[in-house]
Amino acid sequence: MTQKIELSDIYKIAPHHRFQWEEAQNCYVILFPEGMIKLNPSAGEILNLVDGKNSVENVVTLLKEKFKDAGDIEKDIISMFEFALNKAWISKE
Amino acid sequence: MTTLNNGVEANITQTQPLWLLAEITYRCPLHCAFCYNPTDYADHTKNELNTDEWIKVLRDARKMGALQLGISGGEPLLRDDIEDIVTEANQLGYYSNLITSGVGLTEKRIDSFKAGGLDHIQLSMHDITEEISNFVTDTKTFKLKQKVAAMIKDRGYPMVLNVVIHRYNIGHIKEILEMAEKLGADYVELANTQYYGWSLINRNQLMPTKEQIDEAEKITNEFREYIGNKMKIFFVVPDYYAERPKKCMNGWGEVFMIVTANGDVLPCHSARVLPNIDFPNVKNDQLNEIWYDSSAFNKYRGDDWMKEPCQSCSEKENDLGGCRCQAFLLSGDAESADPICTKSPHRHLIDQALEDSKNEILQAQPIIFRTDKNSKELIQGEHKERLKDFKAMP
């Protein structure tokens, strides 16, 4: 049940989910009823920009600026959006 | 990425108590036949930690990295300080989960919880029929639970229903899922009974057949297809019908820390049954010392403690030898392989239990419900015939 991501889409962290930085684990986490996900650094950077305001395109632009040497990361970012949407961690604004 | 519980995998490299379960009281207005609480809980209902002591536990565990807080029991709402605990948990940055039967959840209290920042309420439901729901809990609470479910939804909480599955309700899985959909549930946990505590002494009365479980799983999968992401359904597989044991608690002292009503700290709910372990108490010791340094928490970490067939088993990392409590309760040796495993020399005990559960004479024995009276009787050595197969009181 993969849903398609458009560059103009705007997402937010899904209801009943909380996204926060965890000092003790040195990573971003997503918390939800009785579950938690420890995010790897790139997933954390992406979801940190998913705020109900940035479009997917904005997220790509912002991350390209922040990580200039990373090459073409657009495809990876879109895959992460797909993954997160499929897991219902994010939802459309 | 690592996913813990309800999910894919975990590759924790260092132990950290990510989950703190506060079994805040053993008192409970329900008397469920399948309760996993210790059958001798009546001995542990005194000397409950007070509010300040709980708040210290919360603060200390958070410093150690705890993120998920379960407020459980017994019935946590029997305490009048849950509001204070919830508020503190929110300020500390926990994701807080209230695990309740719904009894005692008034409009006033749910509003206070909302104001305090409680993240989630998990409500136990038992069946679609009033008759079975009331029977298995030995109370008249069916209608109340329906009302409470509506109230939880109304306040905008994620609606999580936990349904313990046993012989009496396994035939109603489809109807239970339909009820959950109607109530607007976001998550449903169909938790097949695990046999500890009260459920262990009632095992012959509760255990469904393999055919019933296969059918329930099939119906669950069909329902999942239909409902998609709208309602997440977790089907907790019963280990008696498996060939390999579960990785109990994700490993002893790896990610779970349980603080009981009187302040004992345990790596799993039923660890008190294990012999020759003194579990530390937060009234005497610091929480971080308990987690990292106590002999109790280090006893079954890693695999040095394992015996054969576990020690040389190529699958030992998958399940870490299974559950220590189940191994001890059934075989009498806490270091032996969990008897669920078909490689265990004690697997016949599980097969016998499955046979016994089909025995109509054994099935017809009365259920011993979780009541203070029954707990005291068990402590005093009554009901011996129900305990004879177990190496400690479950």
Side-chain angles (χ1 to χ4, degrees):
Chain A
M1 210 187 53
T2 308
Q3 297 164 70
K4 185 137 174 56
I5 303 286
E6 304 290 345
L7 282 172
S8 57
D9 289 346
I10 297 174
Y11 289 94
K12 62 177 180 185
I13 301 296
H16 315 317
H17 289 60
R18 198 201 290 163
F19 173 82
Q20 69 188 39
W21 173 258
E22 271 304 300
E23 206 56 55
Q25 351 273 354
N26 194 35
C27 68
Y28 284 105
V29 294
I30 299 177
L31 302 167
F32 48 91
E34 289 178 76
M36 72 175 84
I37 310 285
K38 294 169 83 172
L39 296 161
N40 65 28
S42 50
E45 290 289 345
I46 295 167
L47 289 181
N48 193 31
L49 295 170
V50 175
D51 58 359
K53 293 177 196 128
N54 285 318
S55 66
V56 175
E57 190 170 18
N58 281 351
V59 173
V60 172
T61 311
L62 287 164
L63 289 175
K64 275 185 176 168
E65 273 169 26
K66 189 167 177 185
F67 301 99
K68 287 200 177 69
D69 302 331
D72 186 14
I73 51 176
E74 181 168 326
K75 223 175 114 193
D76 294 343
I77 295 172
I78 305 263
S79 317
M80 181 59 211
F81 269 97
E82 275 171 5
F83 186 79
L85 185 61
N86 203 31
K87 291 272 181 195
W89 300 340
I90 60 173
S91 60
K92 242 182 212 167
E93 191 42 71
Chain B
M1 250 163 294
T2 50
T3 305
L4 300 170
N5 198 26
N6 300 339
V8 201
E9 86 251 35
N11 56 1
I12 306 299
T13 47
Q14 75 199 68
T15 69
Q16 207 168 32
L18 298 177
W19 290 74
L20 173 63
L21 182 69
E23 285 191 334
I24 206 154
T25 180
Y26 282 127
R27 294 172 288 138
C28 190
L30 273 66
H31 311 300
C32 300
F34 51 76
C35 183
Y36 68 73
N37 276 176
T39 47
D40 63 353
Y41 77 85
D43 268 356
H44 306 290
T45 47
K46 292 179 202 105
N47 308 316
E48 282 185 9
L49 296 184
N50 63 31
T51 314
D52 289 342
E53 286 166 329
W54 274 115
I55 285 177
K56 184 173 185 316
V57 167
L58 258 51
R59 287 179 183 164
D60 291 349
R62 185 76 185 108
K63 271 186 224 147
M64 295 158 67
L67 267 170
Q68 283 279 359
L69 171 68
I71 304 168
S72 179
E75 172 49 64
L77 294 175
L78 286 181
R79 285 186 59 133
D80 59 12
D81 58 356
I82 302 299
E83 287 79 351
D84 301 326
I85 288 165
V86 159
T87 304
E88 179 72 19
N90 181 52
Q91 283 164 3
L92 290 168
Y94 280 102
Y95 194 95
S96 53
N97 309 273
L98 177 68
I99 300 162
T100 178
S101 66
V103 177
L105 191 59
T106 58
E107 302 264 345
K108 186 167 172 250
R109 292 199 85 177
I110 199 170
D111 288 338
S112 306
F113 295 149
K114 195 78 197 171
L118 178 69
D119 290 292
H120 148 226
I121 300 173
Q122 185 202 95
L123 178 66
S124 61
M125 298 286 257
H126 304 286
D127 195 34
I128 43 151
T129 72
E130 181 160 5
E131 189 191 3
I132 287 175
S133 181
N134 288 351
F135 168 68
V136 80
T137 62
D138 195 26
T139 55
K140 288 182 180 162
T141 48
F142 177 76
K143 290 198 175 99
L144 173 105
K145 281 170 178 288
Q146 300 279 326
K147 252 189 244 166
V148 167
M151 195 157 74
I152 292 170
K153 191 72 190 166
D154 176 62
R155 297 305 193 281
Y157 277 109
M159 167 68 119
V160 182
L161 298 182
N162 180 287
V163 188
V164 175
I165 303 298
H166 41 71
R167 181 183 295 158
Y168 295 97
N169 62 7
I170 196 161
H172 301 157
I173 293 287
K174 183 150 188 284
E175 291 79 3
I176 289 170
L177 289 169
E178 284 167 354
M179 172 183 74
E181 184 189 9
K182 214 188 228 170
L183 290 168
D186 299 286
Y187 301 81
V188 181
E189 293 179 7
L190 300 173
N192 275 285
T193 304
Q194 307 268 353
Y195 296 98
Y196 300 92
W198 298 88
S199 55
L200 186 57
I201 59 172
N202 293 312
R203 191 172 60 181
N204 291 330
Q205 288 78 3
L206 295 171
M207 180 100 64
T209 64
K210 177 83 167 73
E211 293 72 29
Q212 285 176 311
I213 287 179
D214 290 345
E215 178 67 11
E217 197 163 12
K218 186 172 147 263
I219 292 169
T220 303
N221 286 333
E222 286 165 5
F223 204 88
R224 254 190 214 128
E225 284 286 310
Y226 147 75
I227 201 126
N229 253 344
K230 200 175 102 189
M231 184 168 99
K232 291 194 180 178
I233 308 169
F234 303 105
F235 189 86
V236 182
V237 180
D239 57 359
Y240 274 57
Y241 288 106
E243 297 195 335
R244 292 287 175 271
K246 57 186 180 281
K247 188 178 184 182
C248 200
M249 307 310 288
N250 232 325
W252 178 275
E254 286 291 315
V255 289
F256 286 93
M257 180 161 70
I258 294 164
V259 181
T260 66
N262 66 353
D264 288 347
V265 190
L266 310 176
C268 85
H269 312 84
S270 62
R272 274 208 199 92
V273 300
L274 295 169
N276 309 319
I277 306 184
D278 285 324
F279 286 102
N281 189 291
V282 294
K283 288 174 185 160
N284 311 320
D285 296 299
Q286 292 299 316
L287 206 57
N288 62 339
E289 289 169 11
I290 292 172
W291 177 265
Y292 290 107
D293 304 329
S294 71
S295 59
F297 271 79
N298 282 303
K299 193 164 172 98
Y300 298 119
R301 278 188 175 135
D303 58 18
D304 286 350
W305 56 270
M306 283 181 189
K307 292 181 178 172
E308 293 300 343
C310 295
Q311 189 55 255
S312 62
C313 181
S314 61
E315 297 172 76
K316 69 178 172 186
E317 295 304 320
N318 299 345
D319 54 42
L320 298 173
C323 172
R324 295 306 87 223
C325 305
Q326 190 149 270
F328 177 71
L329 282 168
L330 302 184
S331 83
D333 178 359
E335 273 101 57
S336 67
D338 187 327
I340 294 297
C341 187
T342 51
K343 297 180 184 179
S344 158
H346 300 108
R347 172 68 205 193
H348 65 275
L349 297 169
I350 299 294
D351 295 330
Q352 185 61 50
L354 296 177
E355 278 307 308
D356 287 352
S357 73
K358 293 181 212 157
N359 178 324
E360 285 176 9
I361 296 164
L362 294 173
Q363 278 180 15
Q365 288 181 349
I367 285 177
I368 301 180
F369 288 99
R370 179 207 194 276
T371 62
D372 292 356
K373 178 172 166 283
N374 286 336
S375 181
K376 282 173 194 151
E377 284 179 8
L378 284 160
I379 294 165
Q380 281 155 16
E382 293 181 39
H383 307 289
K384 278 202 179 72
E385 77 293 349
R386 294 290 276 270
L387 297 169
K388 68 177 170 29
D389 291 336
F390 313 128
K391 311 297 175 183
M393 215 149 70

